[in-house]
Amino acid sequence: MTRQLDYHAIDAIFARLHEAEPEPKGELDHVNAYTLLVAVALSAQATDVGVNKATKRLFEIADTPEKMLGLGEEGLIEHIKTIGLYRNKARNVIRMSEILVERFGGEVPSSRAALVSLPGVGRKTANVVLNMWWKHPAQAVDTHIFRVCNRTGIAPGRDVDAVERGIEDHVPARWQGHAHHWLILHGRYICVARKPKCLACPIREYCLYEEKTA
């Protein structure tokens, strides 16, 4: 496993990422907490670009749980059938919407425990919503963040839970709010899976990855 970077190196890394993008944003389109929750749930095993194409018209007509229930499962499928696993996702979104109306007054809760109790909502989805909408310093570890944290030494771990804890434990508090976005964007555009763009990387001098590309 990759060695762990020290506090000063991690602080310097996030200072560089902040300098390049002071206010990083998530790339899933949404208009409120509910549409963010739906978009993140739909994005599992799908690209943000693909989800945004599918939800553009959907969110114009169904931006609340009540409206989504009015659309119904078959109506929802017509909008999202270009997304992988669309039938299962449609079933989860409808059931999620029912529970939000029945138990939460149609509002998206700001509690992780409440969020993960919803169909189709795991810890990663809950953390994205907590971070992006409620501004909690929650760290949603996806494949990009897992790769970046292990390659660089920011927060090495054998699984996503270990990496999440590592970010919480080792990234300075002042960077926690945007850490998730900086890491995912870095993994998506610079520290890519097959051939990382090490020459273009703003944090390469701190990175512990031994197989840097020329």
Side-chain angles (χ1 to χ4, degrees), residues 2-110:
T2 307
R3 303 189 311 278
Q4 171 73 56
L5 285 169
D6 64 30
Y7 175 91
H8 298 292
I10 294 173
D11 188 54
I13 282 174
F14 282 96
R16 289 275 180 87
L17 296 176
H18 172 267
E19 183 180 1
E21 184 65 64
E23 292 291 330
K25 299 282 192 283
E27 297 185 326
L28 284 171
D29 294 338
H30 60 282
V31 296
N32 54 28
Y34 174 70
T35 54
L36 174 61
L37 177 61
V38 171
V40 179
L42 294 176
S43 71
Q45 300 181 42
T47 65
D48 289 359
V49 172
V51 172
N52 288 341
K53 286 181 180 178
T55 58
K56 180 176 176 57
R57 174 63 180 149
L58 173 65
F59 291 160
E60 290 176 357
I61 62 175
D63 60 356
T64 68
E66 294 85 356
K67 291 177 183 177
M68 190 67 75
L69 293 175
L71 185 63
E73 187 173 327
E74 291 305 315
L76 172 56
I77 284 173
E78 286 303 307
H79 288 276
I80 67 169
K81 58 187 178 183
T82 56
I83 300 174
L85 307 174
Y86 65 89
R87 289 194 179 277
N88 189 53
K89 289 177 180 179
R91 192 177 309 116
N92 283 335
V93 167
I94 294 300
R95 182 58 186 142
M96 171 206 302
S97 301
E98 290 173 345
I99 293 173
L100 287 173
V101 171
E102 293 167 2
R103 300 183 192 171
F104 301 100
E107 300 295 327
V108 174
S110 58

Side-chain angles (χ1 to χ4, degrees), residues 130-143:
L130 290 171
N131 180 274
M132 288 182 63
W133 192 260
W134 299 110
K135 308 305 180 187
H136 294 186
Q139 308 304 330
V141 179
D142 69 351
T143 55

Side-chain angles (χ1 to χ4, degrees), residues 32 50 69 98 127-128 164 195 210:
N32 54 28
L69 293 175
E98 290 173 345
N127 282 351
V128 172
E164 181 183 334
K195 191 175 181 182
E210 294 180 354

